Amino acid sequence: YIVYKKTRTLNSQKVGYASKTYDLAMTINKKIDLPNKPDAKIDVAKIFNIDSDLTVKGYKDKTDWVPEIDNSYVFDKETTLSILAGFEHNRRVMIQGFHGTGKSTHIEQIAARLNWPCVRINLDSHISRIDLLGKDAIKLNDGKQITEFQEGLLPWSIQNPVALVFDEYDAGRPDVMFVIQRVLEAEGNFTLLDKNKVLKQHKYFRLFATSNTVGLGDTTGLYHGTQQINQGQMDRWNIVTSLNYLNLEREMEIILAKNKSYNNSKGKEDIANMIKVASLTRKGFVSGDISTVMSPRTVMHWAENNLIFKDIGYSFRVTFLNKCDEVEKNIIAEYYQRCFGEDLPEAVINKQSNE
């Protein structure tokens, strides 16, 4: 899962994408060199491997802002169609769901196949208004220091054919959220008060968001730090789609695509049992038996760690069990025993024998 990391310097902002780093000070005032409108037609069924007769527009040429394609990525049909509607028809799309289901990566991988520039911003509590809008920066001009306003990512994005993704949307600060509200209307102009300037949205600017809640706050206890979102703002999102845990066959398909060494009868059996353990934790969480849940990302980490340690039980403990509450470990160890037929040290039967 790719995460953008923000670093700060005196005169510039930087955004990291995978192993590359792009200095925004070099590009913030330049338009992306792309045609005025998308110049390629994309066959949805062929490119995204889903049952659909749709075609969507994209770009022939790739720029530095386009994410790298992950050829093993498996697309969820409903989520893919919602995101494609956002690109094709300029809909504001929010993807909601539990952690580790691939919400942000889904948007990035679709953008990668459309060759659509994509910028992802994590709305943690330290992202402020000036981070998005811009700030005064000290520059050297003819050997003299001058103060000049430097536009932030938001003004730059809306003037370019960019898909802007707000990650962890429900963790944003209220003052920041009201800044974002200005661009939620597809035809809405953006007033940049710091420069007494009104910015017109680029015709192919697109806006997406991901969140663990639907703006009503954390009702599960899993997502500390999330906020309630103003319902007037939620009403401006044209499409809200859910990407939650998948069925066993679909989840196995995703994990096997990422870990091809399991693509044999023994490996498939192990992955199936891993997913069954995860499914039990999800049912246990819903029924109130445990307070931690295994996501598809956790299962993938478990499979990867097992390739390192060559021990499924130990890999399970260091991947998930050690993150759990001490009083719940015996319940989770029982889930493991049901699926794999062997006891972990944390199991009640082993604790009693040790005593």
Side-chain angles (χ1 to χ4, degrees), residues 11-13 24-25 28 133-137 148-152:
N11 296 321
S12 66
Q13 283 179 296
L24 295 187
I28 200 78
L133 296 182
K135 58 187 175 182
D136 290 327
E148 184 177 285
F149 182 80
Q150 180 179 303
E151 290 182 0

Side-chain angles (χ1 to χ4, degrees), residues 7-8 18-19 80 99 103 114 119-120 138 159 178 188 197 279 292 303 319 330:
T7 60
R8 295 184 181 181
S19 60
T80 300
H99 58 285
K103 299 181 293 295
L114 300 180
V119 175
R120 179 173 157 190
I138 300 172
Q159 297 175 84
F178 280 109
K197 186 177 178 182
S279 180
T292 315
T319 304
N330 65 312

Side-chain angles (χ1 to χ4, degrees), residues 42-325:
I42 311 296
D43 186 322
V44 171
K46 180 179 178 181
I47 299 300
F48 299 102
N49 195 29
I50 61 174
D51 182 21
S52 174
D53 57 0
L54 296 176
T55 59
V56 296
K57 294 187 286 288
Y59 292 96
K60 291 179 181 177
D61 299 324
K62 181 178 179 180
T63 68
D64 287 339
W65 296 93
V66 176
E68 296 296 328
I69 290 178
D70 179 356
N71 290 314
S72 64
Y73 194 82
V74 178
F75 291 92
D76 174 70
K77 181 179 178 179
E78 291 186 4
T79 307
T80 300
L81 292 176
S82 295
I83 296 170
L84 287 174
F87 279 107
E88 183 72 7
H89 301 287
N90 197 16
R91 302 283 84 188
R92 302 305 192 229
V93 181
M94 175 184 287
I95 306 175
Q96 178 273 333
F98 287 117
H99 58 285
T101 54
K103 299 181 293 295
S104 306
T105 313
H106 219 106
I107 302 169
E108 286 181 337
Q109 286 305 307
I110 290 176
R113 285 158 175 80
L114 300 180
N115 276 335
W116 207 296
C118 181
V119 175
R120 179 173 157 190
I121 300 176
N122 193 309
L123 284 183
D124 60 58
S125 60
H126 293 287
I127 293 289
S128 66
R129 185 177 180 276
I130 64 172
D131 290 322
L132 292 182
L133 296 182
K135 58 187 175 182
D136 290 327
I138 300 172
K139 297 181 65 176
L140 283 176
N141 188 4
D142 295 330
K144 297 180 180 179
Q145 285 189 346
I146 62 170
T147 301
E148 184 177 285
F149 182 80
Q150 180 179 303
E151 290 182 0
L153 267 176
L154 188 55
W156 176 82
S157 296
I158 70 172
Q159 297 175 84
N160 287 282
V162 166
L164 183 59
V165 183
F166 286 116
D167 220 1
E168 313 299 345
Y169 188 74
D170 48 358
R173 289 162 40 179
D175 59 322
V176 174
M177 305 309 285
F178 280 109
V179 171
I180 296 170
Q181 185 162 317
R182 303 185 202 175
V183 297
L184 278 174
E185 296 175 5
E187 303 300 327
N189 291 332
F190 185 81
T191 305
L192 193 59
L193 296 175
D194 304 82
K195 294 187 72 174
N196 295 324
K197 186 177 178 182
V198 177
L199 305 179
K200 186 177 181 180
Q201 289 188 30
H202 192 284
K203 186 176 180 180
Y204 294 101
F205 165 71
R206 299 293 184 259
L207 188 62
F208 300 90
T210 69
S211 70
N212 296 125
T213 69
V214 286
L216 300 176
D218 179 21
T219 58
T220 64
L222 287 176
Y223 305 113
H224 178 70
T226 55
Q227 316 281 347
Q228 286 188 327
I229 300 174
N230 183 299
Q231 286 300 300
Q233 183 169 133
M234 282 297 297
D235 192 53
R236 285 173 163 82
W237 288 95
N238 307 122
I239 298 173
V240 178
T241 185
S242 294
L243 181 59
N244 284 313
Y245 302 135
L246 308 172
N247 58 40
L248 188 147
E249 291 77 16
R250 193 69 172 165
E251 197 165 339
M252 179 180 286
E253 182 183 355
I254 292 170
I255 295 170
L256 290 177
K258 291 283 188 180
N259 298 276
K260 299 189 185 302
S261 56
Y262 285 98
N263 201 10
N264 52 66
S265 57
K266 176 65 168 63
K268 289 179 180 179
E269 182 183 352
D270 288 342
I271 295 297
N273 286 332
M274 290 178 183
I275 296 171
K276 288 175 183 176
V277 174
S279 180
L280 287 173
T281 68
R282 295 161 194 169
K283 291 176 182 176
F285 173 77
V286 170
S287 63
D289 295 332
I290 59 175
S291 57
T292 315
V293 65
M294 285 183 74
S295 70
R297 182 194 295 133
T298 308
V299 180
M300 195 170 297
H301 290 171
W302 182 7
E304 292 166 353
N305 287 340
N306 184 50
L307 294 177
I308 297 171
F309 298 113
K310 312 297 183 187
D311 185 329
I312 289 182
Y314 179 75
S315 301
F316 175 68
R317 292 165 65 198
V318 298
T319 304
F320 178 71
L321 191 60
N322 290 346
K323 300 175 184 176
C324 301
D325 192 312

